[in-house]
């Protein structure tokens, strides 16, 4: 194969701004006449395989206020650890699982919530598997480049103990910022942009 | 939803990505843009090698698109009417850093009306909404990575970053690649606009060459005579690392 050097640089990012919900989830903001549905509104349908879960939380800024103008996009594997992408080397994903969701936070409370299934473990290399996780990507006013992080499950202790991201952190106590706790039958996952509980973000 | 209509080769769709350039991309904390002060993470991000979780991403079928999704002049307008303002065409290519076309990728855009106002209940400035303009649209690139849409030239507007702060006219872009690692949101500005260089959001990017890549250029050849001036705006997404020694099982 020929050496192929890069010819261009990635376009620089700019903040999604305070009106990103109007741009990407117009129905959510009350504009119903253009798109039939907002994209990414459902990860599952009634035929999706796997354990149904609900994930909810808020994103807090450095003064402890919940952000009320963000959009979160999530990306996760199906119950067997396969992504709904034509390029996942593991093969065909559950046809009734969409892997991707787009969730605007509530404009009053900042609360986000989505229904999904618990993801399976995704292979990493030829031997290992990652602990079940959901990738989060957060954009909002004041965020110059979309923030990547991962939500893991506090009740997956054995899998978490083998996971490279959770175990390679320099400050091990910060691993807890990536764990969603089961409260009743809902996984609670808050994101802290700053402060003592600042979430670990990923440079991918 | 997630089917793919285009043909791909493995160099485009498999393998880890070239690292983002932190000196080309904006830093998280850029105090002149005040809203970053309480929202920029303070601690370093954890660098992790790309896994399948980052090397895959949603791919959208053209079936999601409505006929007027890339015609912002009409997609919200009452029957027989049109948005007010100067009609323009915006088009360009989405490519990766190897200049390979990103075919079949979703591009979304949103903007103010001709007077500089967003159709959003929190955008309360003293200019009217246009009853015929919603201000958003989307498109999926063709096999050469091209996208195009018609709209009206957005207005600039004052914003509360300072007592006398003005955003240059711009169009927000949201672009998907084939992988979540390529996910990008940015803004397109108009070449020659002096407001661009005073804007603290633009200035969150420190490299002026990088800023130049966000300036759409008038494209007379592709304009519609006596109808709409065209602007060219290309988008570059992260490219995959060269694959000599990579093992893609």
């Amino acid at each position: 194969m020929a050496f192929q050097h890069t010819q261009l640089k990635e376009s620089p990012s700019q903040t999604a701004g305070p009106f990103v919900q109007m741009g990407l989830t117009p129905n959510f903001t009350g504009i119903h006449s253009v798109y039939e549905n907002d994209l990414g509104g459902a990860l599952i349908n009634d035929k999706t395989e796997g354990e149904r879960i609900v994930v909810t939380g808020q994103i807090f800024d450095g003064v402890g206020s919940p952000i009320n103008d963000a959009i979160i996009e999530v990306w996760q594997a199906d119950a067997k650890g396969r992504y709904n992408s034509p390029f996942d080397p593991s093969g065909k994903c559950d046809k009734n699982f969409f892997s991707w969701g787009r969730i605007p936070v509530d404009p009053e409370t900042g609360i986000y919530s989505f229904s999904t299934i618990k993801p399976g473990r995704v292979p990493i290399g030829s031997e290992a598997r990652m602990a079940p996780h959901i990738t989060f990507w957060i954009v909002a006013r004041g965020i110059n480049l979309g923030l990547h992080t991962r939500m893991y499950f506090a009740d997956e202790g054995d899998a978490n103990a083998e996971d490279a991201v959770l175990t390679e952190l320099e400050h091990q106590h910060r691993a807890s910022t990536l764990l969603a706790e089961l409260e009743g039958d809902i996984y609670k996952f808050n994101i802290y942009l700053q402060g003592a509980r600042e979430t670990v973000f990923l440079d991918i | 939803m997630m089917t793919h209509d285009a043909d791909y080769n493995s160099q485009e769709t498999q393998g880890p990505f070239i690292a983002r350039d932190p000196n080309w991309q904006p830093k998280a904390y850029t105090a002149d843009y005040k809203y970053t002060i309480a929202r920029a993470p303070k601690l370093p991000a954890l660098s992790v090698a790309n896994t399948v979780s980052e090397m895959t991403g949603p791919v959208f079928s053209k079936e999601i698109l409505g006929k007027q999704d890339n015609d912002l002049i009409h997609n919200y307008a009452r029957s027989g009417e049109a948005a007010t303002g100067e009609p323009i065409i915006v088009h360009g290519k989405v490519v990766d850093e190897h200049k390979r076309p990103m075919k079949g990728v979703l591009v979304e855009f949103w903007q103010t009306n001709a007077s500089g106002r967003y159709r959003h209940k929190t955008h309360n400035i003293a200019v009217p909404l246009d009853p015929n303009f919603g201000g958003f649209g989307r498109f999926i690139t063709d096999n050469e990575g091209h996208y195009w849409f018609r709209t009206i030239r957005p207005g600039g507007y004052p914003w509360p970053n300072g007592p006398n702060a003005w955003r240059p006219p711009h169009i927000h872009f949201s672009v998907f690649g084939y992988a979540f690692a390529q996910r990008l949101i940015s803004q397109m500005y108009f070449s020659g606009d002096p407001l661009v260089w005073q804007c603290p959001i633009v200035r969150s990017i420190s490299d002026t060459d990088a800023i130049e890549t966000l300036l759409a250029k008038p494209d007379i050849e592709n304009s519609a005579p006596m109808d709409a001036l065209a602007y060219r705006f290309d988008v570059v997404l992260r490219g995959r690392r060269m694959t000599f020694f990579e093992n893609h099982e």
Side-chain angles (χ1 to χ4, degrees), chain A residues 36-62:
Chain A
E36 198 175 320
N37 304 109
D38 289 333
L39 271 187
L43 284 116
I44 55 175
N45 62 29
D46 51 11
K47 297 194 195 93
T48 307
E49 293 170 26
E51 177 195 344
R52 263 65 185 164
I53 61 170
V54 173
V55 179
T56 188
Q58 289 164 296
I59 305 167
F60 293 95
D61 69 13

Side-chain angles (χ1 to χ4, degrees), chain A residues 91-104:
Chain A
K92 292 279 179 211
C93 175
D94 177 355
K95 283 197 178 74
N96 294 301
F97 183 64
F98 304 112
S99 280
W100 177 76
R102 176 180 271 169
I103 305 108

Side-chain angles (χ1 to χ4, degrees), chain A residues 1-24 26 29 31 33-37 39-40 42 61-63 67-69 73-75 83-89 98 100 102 107-108 122-126 130 133 135-137 139-148 150 165 168-170 174 193-195 198 200-204, chain B residues 1-2 4 8 11 13-14 18 20-21 24-28 30 33 35-43 45-48 50-54 56-60 64 69 75-76 95-100 106 108 110-111 118-120 122-123 134-138 172 174 176 178 180-181 183-187 189 201-202 204-205 210 213-214 234-236 238 242-244 249:
Chain A
M1 185 185 131
F3 178 84
Q4 188 169 29
H5 60 90
T6 59
Q7 304 188 46
L8 297 166
K9 290 185 80 77
E10 185 190 21
S11 295
S13 173
Q14 292 272 265
T15 180
F19 310 113
V20 61
Q21 293 188 346
M22 180 279 277
L24 300 184
T29 65
I31 308 173
S33 65
V34 180
Y35 303 153
E36 198 175 320
N37 304 109
L39 271 187
D61 69 13
V63 293
I67 288 189
N68 65 0
D69 52 11
E73 289 184 3
V74 296
W75 178 242
Y83 284 96
N84 191 333
S85 153
F87 313 121
D88 184 338
F98 304 112
W100 177 76
R102 176 180 271 169
E108 304 297 327
V122 175
I124 180 168
S126 51
M130 294 184 274
H133 64 274
T135 293
F136 277 57
W137 185 71
V139 291
R141 173 171 64 97
I143 295 176
N144 288 330
L145 177 66
L147 297 170
H148 274 263
R150 284 185 183 178
V165 168
E168 282 173 13
L169 275 170
E170 181 190 355
R174 296 188 65 214
L193 299 180
Q194 297 175 356
E198 182 176 319
V200 174
F201 295 100
L202 303 182
D203 169 17
I204 53 142
Chain B
M1 177 165 86
M2 310 267 178
H4 58 110
Y8 305 91
Q11 291 171 45
T13 62
Q14 302 291 319
I18 298 160
R20 281 204 153 113
D21 182 344
W24 182 262
Q25 291 294 341
K27 307 285 191 210
T30 51
Y33 173 28
Y35 298 114
T36 67
I37 295 174
R39 292 186 171 192
K42 291 272 195 328
L43 295 170
L46 176 71
S47 296
V48 290
N50 288 170
T51 70
V52 179
S53 300
E54 293 78 40
T56 58
V59 175
F60 300 90
I64 67 166
D69 282 5
N75 70 5
Y76 186 88
V95 297
D96 72 9
E97 290 171 295
H98 302 289
K99 227 172 174 173
R100 287 192 282 245
L106 178 65
E108 298 161 287
W110 67 101
Q111 63 169 86
Y118 288 96
R119 183 169 288 281
H120 190 284
T122 66
H123 200 215
F136 54 89
R138 59 191 178 185
H172 295 265
S174 157
F176 288 79
Y178 311 137
F180 225 50
R183 190 78 181 84
L184 185 73
I185 279 184
S186 194
Q187 300 183 30
Y189 303 94
I201 288 178
V202 176
S204 69
I205 303 164
T213 68
L214 298 182
D234 294 333
V235 176
V236 183
R238 292 172 71 183
M242 40 171 292
T243 51
F244 276 128
E249 45 230 300

